Amino acid sequence: MTIRYMMLAGVALVSTAAVAQLQPPRVAKKPFQVTSPNGAREDDYYWLRDDTRKNPEMLAYLAAENAYADAKLASLKPLEAKLYEDTVAHVKQDDSSVPYAKNGYYYGSRFQTGADYPILERRKGSRTAPAETLFDQPAMAKGHSFFALSDWAVSPDNRRVAWAEDTVGRRQYVLKVKDLTTGALLADTVSNIEPNVVWADDNKTILYVEKDPVTLRGYRVKAHVLGTPIAADQVLYEEKDDTYQMGISRTSDDRFVCIGVESTVSDEQRCAPAASPTRFTIAAPRAREFRYGADHIGNRWIIRTNRAAKNYKLVTVADADLAKGTAAWRDLTPASDTVFIEGFKPFDGFVAIDQREGGNRMIRVLNDAGKSTPVTADEPAYRMALDVNEKTATPWVRYTYGSLVTPTTTYEVNAQTGERRVLKVAPVPGYDPAKYVTERVWAPARDGTRVPVSLVYAKGVKRDGTAPLFQYAYGSYGISSDPAVDPGRIGLLDRGVVYAIAHIRGGQEMGRGWYDDGHLLNKKNSFTDFIDVTRYLVAQKYAAKTRVAAMGGSAGGLLMGGVANMAPADYKLIIAQVPFVDVVTTMLDASIPLTTFEYDEWGNPAQKASYDYMLSYSPYDNVAAKVYPALYVGTGLWDSQVQYYEPTKWVAKLREMKTDTNPLLFRVNMEAGHGGKSGRFERYRQNAEWQAFMLQQLGLAQ
């Protein structure tokens, strides 16, 4: 059977009758007991886990699933190609970014026509000076099926650049260094690091975060001196608690290097002068349910914290008092029940604050005299966010604005005069915002909570209960889903699809309480919110009950798995990308990346209450003999965030248990990780496949 399905790979001309007769792959069941302090569970598909990714039987099954998907989707190839063409037609291929100034240079990026990756460059002294290439990413990516250049940093003397690079997709980055005066690549190379690099002021010391080779948790900050053996790198800090992860950064005024460690509910930050980053001062010791993050400007620290402020506030402390901890902190902003402070950027004389209110993300400016000025917007559902602001000695704050209708626009606002100027409107060729409508509606959840929903659809789409609906959500980790124009969505809107973002609990669109009500022992609120939004939109005639597609990825894939089990009749199709679906088994295994760090997100199954609750919603454990909607499931063999075997086992169990004949397609990317293959056009191609399948299921495949 395996050989038969492998032979089907790449089939383009398969008759409708042949496809109808095609039987989905099945895989062997091998009894295995997953033990825990709170009971044992049988897992017949546990054997599909292979950390080496070399098991021939497992790989043959994945190949069979890909071949089956190829055959089932063969008739949709023309539509897939058209969707890809539609998307690319809305992409300005030779686009460039708005340059920003730092340390005597203007930095920016630009795409060449047809290129998957941008070229990063800088210009000395002015925006019109000759360009110097920092990274020719199209050239760097050649020969790699996956390529990601993540964090990079130029040395204070502007002579060298260090960066983190991944050519596998497993997020095990490699530190590399280049001499910008000669273009030569230095011999200094460090493997298995976080995408996080910082220079010290001596222009020869690079700080990086080393990862545990098994769990992939960043746990140790090291200092590498150029030209010395990697084995001699000094350990500056090691985090012993495996429920924490870490990162390093320089403060906005470049005077300090800071190490930040965080868990879901706790932070701790230690900082040292960038001139000699060896002796670090702790801003405040960690404590459960105590979170904070500090930045520096002038002679003081500004800190965002949830201390006595569930939705966070800003406090300040003088340099001389930092070591005194919270006793020396003084409020800059009051606590609020309705305004959630997401972030901030300090400038000379004022602070720019990134905040949320009423489900929208917005900006306000707070000057040193205490005057607060909001930046206004004209649409009901939108997103503002602080952009790159490297200069602190300026009254101009750069930020971005966008909505489901308005393309991302980069602005500057003057904190002293209020003057606002447009720096760039992201070009979207062939797109006319006037042809579309965006709305913000509030759907009642079953417990009475009002859930914000962002909607967009083409003008002329009738609100008569006949339209197809494509509903998306994430709803975990306090990550909010903000509206934006997507070139890949325009073709769907033009075909009459109504698109909705359900801002369900588990995100932070409505503040920290919104997150608290959607994780741990409240996680099911995320699932029921999503279902209740669907039912509300159908009841309000935005969509037909039989024409609803749902999508989520990663933790949003968990959402999709939960929804598929809880309300399968409400959806025609569910798309689950890299879904986290085997919650209990994964959280019982501390060797799997992310597990220990996420006990405060999902719960620790070693505890009886958490074990029982997680087991009650874990998608894999709750697959049952019943009718499921059509399903499209995606994964990457090298995924480090959600291991490939979770969706693989889920699909195998669904094939065994479900009683319907609705299609279940499983697309396995054999050369990528959590985000799929790299490169902008490659991702558009991947998206076109599930979009074509979705349109077919919604009756729009013509």
Side-chain angles (χ1 to χ4, degrees):
M1 181 180 290
T2 297
I3 294 175
R4 174 190 173 194
Y5 285 113
M6 291 178 70
M7 293 285 287
L8 289 171
V11 169
L13 298 174
V14 182
S15 71
T16 302
V19 171
Q21 294 295 321
L22 191 64
Q23 295 299 308
R26 292 298 177 95
V27 66
K29 296 171 65 175
K30 301 182 182 182
F32 181 86
Q33 213 172 57
V34 180
T35 60
S36 82
N38 294 302
R41 294 150 45 245
E42 292 295 329
D43 186 352
D44 291 334
Y45 299 109
Y46 187 91
W47 72 269
L48 287 165
R49 172 179 177 174
D50 173 30
D51 292 347
T52 69
R53 291 158 173 78
K54 294 179 180 179
N55 182 329
E57 189 177 2
M58 177 273 292
L59 292 173
Y61 173 58
L62 297 185
E65 286 287 1
N66 274 337
Y68 178 73
D70 287 340
K72 295 291 282 187
L73 293 169
S75 65
L76 293 176
K77 286 298 179 185
L79 177 57
E80 181 183 327
K82 182 64 169 64
L83 287 165
Y84 173 74
E85 291 168 5
D86 288 348
T87 298
V88 173
H90 294 304
V91 176
K92 189 177 189 303
Q93 295 199 29
D94 58 350
D95 196 16
S96 59
S97 67
V98 181
Y100 65 88
K102 183 174 184 179
N103 197 22
Y105 283 83
Y106 282 87
Y107 290 86
S109 63
R110 61 181 175 87
F111 278 99
Q112 296 174 317
T113 298
D116 266 321
Y117 305 92
I119 293 171
L120 305 184
E121 56 191 18
R122 67 179 184 176
R123 299 171 188 266
K124 188 173 183 179
S126 76
R127 299 184 184 189
T128 59
E132 173 190 355
T133 298
L134 294 176
F135 302 104
D136 184 347
Q137 292 191 78
M140 296 168 71
K142 282 183 179 178
H144 300 293
S145 58
F146 180 93
F147 176 79
L149 186 153
S150 190
D151 195 31
W152 57 273
V154 175
S155 58
D157 64 3
N158 291 313
R159 293 185 55 203
R160 299 183 179 95
V161 62
W163 72 95
E165 178 181 303
D166 178 13
T167 56
V168 176
R170 188 123 175 100
R171 302 192 183 188
Q172 292 179 282
Y173 291 85
V174 176
L175 170 66
K176 296 185 177 182
V177 186
K178 181 170 67 173
D179 188 319
L180 293 173
T181 61
T182 66
L185 188 67
L186 304 189
D188 305 79
T189 302
V190 185
S191 299
N192 195 33
I193 70 164
E194 291 281 6
N196 203 190
V197 293
V198 170
W199 289 89
D201 281 352
D202 64 2
N203 298 297
K204 63 181 181 180
T205 302
I206 302 171
L207 279 63
Y208 64 91
V209 179
E210 182 181 39
K211 283 190 169 189
D212 183 284
V214 176
T215 67
L216 306 189
R217 180 182 70 93
Y219 76 109
R220 195 153 56 183
V221 175
K222 287 186 170 183
H224 174 70
V225 178
L226 295 179
T228 65
I230 304 303
D233 289 358
Q234 180 184 1
V235 176
L236 300 180
Y237 176 74
E238 182 172 346
E239 178 54 55
K240 302 291 188 180
D241 189 333
D242 63 6
T243 66
Y244 284 76
Q245 62 181 2
M246 68 173 61
I248 48 176
S249 62
R250 288 180 72 125
T251 54
S252 288
D253 61 5
D254 264 339
R255 286 181 54 194
F256 294 89
V257 171
C258 296
I259 300 171
V261 297
E262 66 167 347
S263 71
T264 303
V265 296
S266 175
D267 293 309
E268 187 174 72
Q269 189 169 329
R270 43 183 47 79
C271 300
S276 180
T278 54
R279 299 184 63 181
F280 289 81
T281 300
I282 296 177
R286 70 187 69 178
R288 188 168 179 80
E289 302 297 341
F290 171 47
R291 303 209 65 187
Y292 73 92
D295 201 351
H296 191 269
I297 191 80
N299 59 0
R300 64 172 179 163
W301 294 86
I302 298 176
I303 301 169
R304 171 183 175 263
T305 180
N306 69 346
R307 182 173 179 263
K310 187 169 188 174
N311 281 330
Y312 292 83
K313 63 182 178 181
L314 298 184
V315 301
T316 186
V317 61
D319 286 353
D321 295 331
L322 180 65
K324 295 179 181 178
T326 58
W329 292 4
R330 299 293 178 262
D331 287 357
L332 282 179
T333 64
S336 172
D337 292 331
T338 58
V339 176
F340 174 79
I341 296 180
E342 183 127 325
F344 71 97
K345 183 71 176 182
F347 292 80
D348 295 347
F350 66 96
V351 181
I353 302 174
D354 194 334
Q355 65 185 41
R356 293 185 181 275
E357 185 174 9
N360 288 321
R361 186 172 174 181
M362 59 194 69
I363 303 294
R364 69 178 163 120
V365 174
L366 177 69
N367 68 20
D368 287 355
K371 182 182 178 182
S372 181
T373 306
V375 178
T376 59
D378 299 322
E379 294 177 289
Y382 60 88
R383 171 191 183 272
M384 293 182 192
L386 291 171
D387 198 33
V388 179
N389 287 281
E390 291 289 353
K391 291 176 64 176
T392 58
T394 176
W396 293 97
V397 180
R398 184 179 294 187
Y399 70 97
T400 58
Y401 175 91
S403 75
L404 286 171
V405 167
T406 303
T408 299
T409 304
T410 304
Y411 288 95
E412 279 185 336
V413 63
N414 191 298
Q416 297 171 355
T417 66
E419 179 188 352
R420 188 175 67 168
R421 56 196 185 196
V422 175
L423 300 181
K424 179 180 179 178
V425 178
V428 186
Y431 171 72
D432 181 1
K435 293 182 179 179
Y436 307 91
V437 177
T438 184
E439 291 186 47
R440 164 63 53 77
V441 299
W442 298 82
R446 60 195 63 185
D447 63 0
T449 301
R450 297 171 72 238
V451 180
V453 185
S454 298
L455 289 167
V456 65
Y457 50 89
K459 287 181 178 177
V461 171
K462 295 180 180 179
R463 187 172 160 186
D464 59 2
T466 64
L469 172 67
F470 177 30
Q471 182 176 315
Y472 169 82
Y474 184 74
S476 289
Y477 303 106
I479 296 173
S480 300
S481 300
D482 292 312
V485 170
D486 179 358
R489 191 186 304 132
I490 298 169
L492 305 180
L493 299 179
D494 290 344
R495 288 170 170 82
V497 175
V498 176
Y499 178 74
I501 302 174
H503 303 287
I504 59 177
R505 283 174 282 187
Q508 283 183 147
E509 287 92 338
M510 299 294 289
R512 187 66 177 181
W514 202 246
Y515 168 64
D516 290 339
D517 286 345
H519 78 131
L520 292 176
L521 300 181
N522 294 319
K523 186 61 208 171
K524 289 182 186 178
N525 283 337
S526 301
F527 309 145
T528 55
D529 280 0
F530 189 90
I531 296 164
D532 293 343
V533 166
T534 300
R535 292 173 179 172
Y536 173 80
L537 294 176
V538 168
Q540 296 298 308
K541 299 188 181 301
Y542 283 100
K545 178 176 174 57
T546 58
R547 303 183 75 190
V548 180
M551 181 179 176
S554 193
L558 164 66
L559 170 69
M560 294 298 100
V563 166
N565 286 328
M566 296 171 68
D570 285 83
Y571 302 92
K572 178 67 175 176
L573 167 68
I574 289 177
I575 302 157
Q577 296 284 25
V578 292
F580 172 47
V581 285
D582 191 13
V583 182
V584 179
T585 301
T586 291
M587 293 305 295
L588 282 168
D589 189 344
S591 72
I592 295 175
L594 298 185
T595 292
T596 55
F597 174 66
E598 296 193 340
Y599 287 146
D600 286 317
E601 179 68 30
W602 314 110
N604 186 342
Q607 300 168 356
K608 177 65 173 171
S610 292
Y611 179 89
D612 290 344
Y613 187 77
M614 295 159 72
L615 193 60
S616 73
Y617 71 75
S618 173
Y620 180 64
D621 291 287
N622 287 280
V623 172
K626 61 184 175 184
V627 174
Y628 283 87
L631 287 155
Y632 180 103
V633 182
T635 192
L637 181 64
W638 296 98
D639 196 336
S640 61
Q641 310 304 102
V642 178
Q643 307 297 311
Y644 78 90
Y645 44 82
E646 288 201 39
T648 301
K649 290 165 51 180
W650 184 48
V651 167
K653 192 171 183 180
L654 280 165
R655 292 212 183 282
E656 173 198 353
M657 299 289 291
K658 72 190 193 84
T659 60
D660 58 85
T661 58
N662 294 325
L664 166 55
L665 303 181
F666 187 31
R667 176 59 73 201
V668 186
N669 194 318
M670 305 298 285
E671 299 175 330
H674 198 57
K677 286 187 177 181
S678 57
R680 57 175 176 165
F681 293 112
E682 182 57 43
R683 286 179 178 156
Y684 294 149
R685 290 188 183 93
Q686 293 175 67
N687 291 345
E689 180 176 270
W690 62 256
Q691 288 176 343
F693 182 55
M694 178 180 72
L695 291 179
Q696 179 196 55
Q697 295 300 307
L698 297 180
L700 294 169
Q702 65 276 9

